[in-house]
Amino acid sequence: EPRSEGDVTEPTSARVIRWAPVLAASVTTASMIFAVTTYWQGAREHRQASAIGILQDYLKFTVEHPDLASRPADAPLDTRYVWFATHTLFTVESLWTLVGEDERWELTLEGLLRPHRGYLQQGVLGCDAFDPGFYEFLKSRFRELKCKQL
């Protein structure tokens, strides 16, 4: 006589065969979740390591050029300083691209720019060259930011 699906007397092998696809799908789903989580953690750690490397290189740069790294806000703009300040902006934008959404980096990014507040106020920046999100970051931290009029 045929057995019903819920029959208690159903052989174990039949129950295993019936549940095998469900178990396989569950294991596959769990494996994919683990893989995606691991990937994102690795990517975040890689961004952090890259940002630290960029920051270390920039700090070496400031040690090599202490006269340009910190100067009075009202000091005149000369070619060397504009080069240095532009490099600083590029460095900060690169860091912002990597870790800008990480609150732990916000003060660092702002701190790198603070010595160049006077430069940001001069109206010599081509702000249209910045990533729009980074430009918003600059405006929110340095309200006195002035851009070159095109």
Side-chain angles (χ1 to χ4, degrees):
E1 102 188 37
R3 296 183 180 177
S4 67
E5 202 169 297
D7 190 349
V8 183
T9 60
E10 180 180 22
T12 303
S13 61
R15 281 191 301 235
V16 168
I17 291 171
R18 187 165 37 102
W19 286 101
V22 173
L23 180 61
S26 299
V27 169
T28 301
T29 301
S31 297
M32 291 184 71
I33 290 170
F34 177 76
V36 168
T37 302
T38 302
Y39 170 80
W40 286 114
Q41 286 175 336
R44 184 177 60 242
E45 289 173 15
H46 180 71
R47 285 191 309 272
Q48 289 287 328
S50 295
I52 289 169
I54 290 169
L55 179 59
Q56 288 173 333
D57 289 344
Y58 177 75
L59 293 175
K60 286 180 206 171
F61 188 63
T62 62
V63 169
E64 293 167 0
H65 303 282
D67 58 318
L68 302 174
S70 181
R71 53 191 266 156
D74 59 350
L77 299 180
D78 58 56
T79 307
R80 285 185 70 237
Y81 177 71
V82 170
W83 163 76
F84 187 90
T86 302
H87 181 79
T88 300
L89 279 163
F90 177 75
T91 297
V92 173
E93 184 175 16
S94 297
L95 289 170
W96 178 85
T97 299
L98 287 170
V99 292
E101 294 179 7
D102 186 338
E103 291 177 4
R104 297 173 297 176
W105 280 87
E106 284 183 22
L107 291 176
T108 301
L109 300 178
E110 188 176 334
L112 294 176
L113 290 170
R114 196 173 301 117
H116 307 288
R117 184 179 294 272
Y119 177 69
L120 297 173
Q121 297 170 354
Q122 296 289 325
V124 295
L125 293 176
C127 296
D128 57 328
F130 295 128
D131 176 279
F134 179 66
Y135 176 65
E136 290 302 317
F137 169 81
L138 283 176
K139 284 192 329 186
S140 70
R141 299 311 189 282
F142 301 94
R143 302 218 185 278
E144 66 278 1
L145 174 70
K146 290 184 185 172
C147 298
K148 184 182 342 181
Q149 299 299 317
L150 299 179

